[in-house]
Each structure stands twice: as C-alpha cells, then as structure tokens.
Amino acid sequence: MPSQKQLKWSQLKVGITVIIASITLAVLTILMSGGGFFTRKITLKSYFDDANGLRVGAPVRLSGVDIGNVTRIQIVPNHPPLTPVEVTMKVVTKYDFNLHKDSVTLLSTAGVLGETYLNIDSSQAKDRTAQDGDVLKSQQVPDFSDMVRSGQSTLQNMDALLKRMDRIVAFVESGQGSVGKLLYDPSLYNRVNSTVAEFQGLVNEISQGQGSLGKLLVSDELYQKANGTIDNVNKMIDDLNAGNGTAGKLLKDSALYDNANQTVSNIKQLTDDVNAGKGALGKMAKDQEFANKLQNTMNRLSDLADRLDAGEGSAGKFLRDPSMYNNTNKLLTDMQELVKAIRQDPKKYLTIRLKLF
C-alpha cells in the first residue's frame, strides 16, 4: 500500500497540474479575445433594431480584426422604438488610432450560416478617438433571411413571368395574333416569296441597264457628262485664277479693290460731314429749325388728309360726295354718245350755214 506521504505528493501534483491548466486556459482565452494582461479596455455601446442572432461573448472586430467581445445585450425601455436593442461591448485600445467616435457598427455573419459578430467600420470616420462610454452609430444591413425573402419574391415574379410566356408561346403556336400569323400563315410566305421574286427581277433589269436606274448604273454617258462638267469647272477655276472674265477681274484686279476702298472712304467722309452738320444733308440731319419746319409740314399734311377724309372743301367733296362722281360719270357718258353721233353723221353737226342780208 502507498504511504501517506506518497498520497499527498500525488494530490499535490494533480493540484499543480489543474492550476497550470487553468492559468494556461485563461491566458489563451485572453489572447484569443485580442486582449492582454496589461492592455487597457474601454466600454462602447451601439443600438440596433434587432439583435439578429448576436450573443453575449460574440467577437467584436475592427475592419475584420478581433479587438473585443460583446458583454451585454438588452432591450432598453426609454429608447427610440426603431433601435431598442442596446449592445454593450468591451474592446482594447490597441487600435484606438483607427477607432473613432463616428465609426459605424454593423451586424455581420461569418459566411452564410456562420455566427453573427459585431464589425466596426472606420473607413469614413473623421471624428476624435473613441473614449470609454461612447455610443457608436449603427448601420442596418440585410441579413440572410431578408435575402431569402427577397429571393422568394423574385422567384415568384419569375414564375408568373414564365407562365405568361408559356401562354404567349401557346397562343403563337396556335397561329393566332399577328406573330402567330407571321409564323404559321402560308399566305404570308407566298407574298414574301413573290416580293423577293419581283425584287430579284428588278435587280436583274437594273444590272442589264434597263430603266432609269439601269442606265444610271450601266451607261457610261453619265460618266462622260460628269467628267466633262468637271473639266469645265476646272477650266472656269483656271480662268478665275488667271484673272480672265468679269469674275476673274473681280478676284484679281487690284483696281477694283482700290475703287471699293475709295468708295468706302467717300461714304465714311460723307457720313462724317452729315454728322458734323455740313452740306444740305448735314443741315437736314442737325438743324433743329429745319426739323421743326418739317414736323410742322407733316402736321399740316396730316390735318389736310384728315379734312379730305372728312369731306371738307372742294377736294374733300370731290373725294367724298357721290353726286360729283355721278355727274362726272354722266358727263363722260354724254360726251361718248356725242362723239359716237358725230362719227355716224358728221354733216349734221359740222355743217356751217352763212346767211347774207
């Protein structure tokens, strides 16, 4: 039998082994959580509308790197109803240079069916470094169930669309509607075949030089005329460059430019004289007395026109009185009848009788 001393020594070894294992487990747990014995930690909070599978102890990651764990998840009563779930996390300050007060928290999933963890995004953060007790804004992202529901809705829509396509295909295969007749009506094929045959005949006629288009494509007369026209145009251009003809002189004769320049100078001098009040035109343009006389004359002419239009005076009565027109018309008529009568019997009106006493 073992002695008492041997039993105590065995128990001591077991106890030491358990203590060492416990210390090792604690150290590994701390190291795996991203912390350390002498690493300072801070507590942060964030609010969500749904915990969405998040559990206490879930990892907290900064851009995918573990920096802490979730310590508490609860629903707070006096918080806005859209984000009632309060998530408390404890993170190390090792990466506080990239952890800001305006960093955003998101609930992410490791793979499709992995565990839910809390991820902190600082890509757009510019505020100060996060301190103990700060609240980080949360951002909602669609989870797997939302994507499944969205996929189900899409599948339902696609199923309905396929059913409608089946009905349309069946409708077309039965030869109904415009598309069905287009595919299954033999008369359409016959008409298309006839049209193609006529078009082929037209192409043959054109290739043989028949008709206007055929002559246009086959006959070289058009080419000869076009070539002659181009030669004439080239000759005309050469004449212009050589200064021949009226157009050539307009382009090449410097005297025309000098005359035009002199004419422009004379017109400018005339305009300057008119603006300076010289000559008859200048006085007409600048003399205020002349302008007043002209205005008075225009006023009198306007008054005279108004009086004529009103029928005042002899000229007004001549324009407005219908009796004047009637008498004049009657006088002209009588004169025409008298001339006609004289031409018919001139002796009656032109006989001169002399009487001697």
Side-chain angles (χ1 to χ4, degrees), residues 59-105:
V60 177
R61 296 173 181 172
L62 177 62
S63 299
V65 178
D66 289 347
I67 62 171
N69 299 91
V70 175
T71 58
R72 185 171 60 181
I73 303 174
Q74 62 177 356
I75 297 178
V76 291
N78 297 323
H79 202 267
L82 294 179
T83 55
V85 179
E86 181 186 73
V87 177
T88 305
M89 67 198 89
K90 185 169 288 188
V91 298
V92 297
T93 58
K94 180 179 179 181
Y95 302 103
D96 59 353
F97 60 88
N98 198 32
L99 185 61
H100 302 274
K101 190 177 185 304
D102 57 344
S103 297
V104 180
T105 59

Side-chain angles (χ1 to χ4, degrees), residues 7 37 85 131 343:
L7 290 175
F37 294 105
V85 179
Q131 303 294 330
R343 287 178 177 177

Side-chain angles (χ1 to χ4, degrees), residues 52 107-109 111-114 116 141-152:
N52 200 17
L107 293 179
S108 303
T109 305
V112 179
L113 299 176
T116 302
V141 294
D143 58 359
F144 182 72
S145 60
D146 294 334
M147 291 188 290
V148 170
R149 286 193 294 269
S150 178
Q152 289 177 348

